Amino acid sequence: MKKNMCQILGKIITKTNGGFDVVIECCGNGAAVTTAMQACKQGGKIVLVGVSLGKFSNIELLKAFGLQIFWILLFNLFGNFVWKKVIKHLIIQGG
C-alpha cells in the first residue's frame, strides 16, 4: 500500500474513533476491497457493490472473517458470564 494511502487511513481511523460503521465499496478492485476492510471499524459492515475484474488477497478476507468470528464468540461468552454474575447479585439483593 502506498505511503500516502496509509496516512489517509490513519487519519480516517483516528477521526472516526476506530473506523467507519459502514463502508460501501463500489469498484470491485482488490486494493479497494482491502482498503474498505481497513477503514471499517470492528463489527462494522462492508457493502460490496462493484464487480471484481481481478484478484484480491484471500488472506485479507480470511483475516476479516476470522476476526469477526472471534469477536462474536468473545462477546457471547463474556456476555453470558457477566449476565450470570448480574443475575446472581440481583437475586442476593432481592431485586
Side-chain angles (χ1 to χ4, degrees), residues 4-76:
N4 189 29
M5 183 55 83
C6 290
Q7 291 172 340
I8 292 170
L9 274 172
K11 289 179 183 179
I12 288 171
I13 291 169
T14 301
K15 290 187 178 196
T16 58
N17 294 324
F20 293 111
D21 293 325
V22 177
V23 176
I24 301 172
E25 193 284 310
C26 297
C27 72
N29 180 306
V33 173
T34 301
T35 303
M37 288 191 287
Q38 292 170 341
C40 190
K41 70 172 48 173
Q42 289 184 351
K45 307 290 182 202
I46 300 173
V47 180
L48 300 173
V49 179
V51 177
S52 177
L53 298 176
K55 294 184 178 182
F56 54 90
S57 173
N58 290 336
I59 294 172
E60 289 293 326
L61 284 177
L62 288 174
K63 180 181 171 186
F65 290 134
L67 282 173
Q68 186 71 25
I69 291 169
F70 168 78
W71 286 112
I72 289 170
L73 290 174
L74 182 71
F75 284 126
N76 282 331

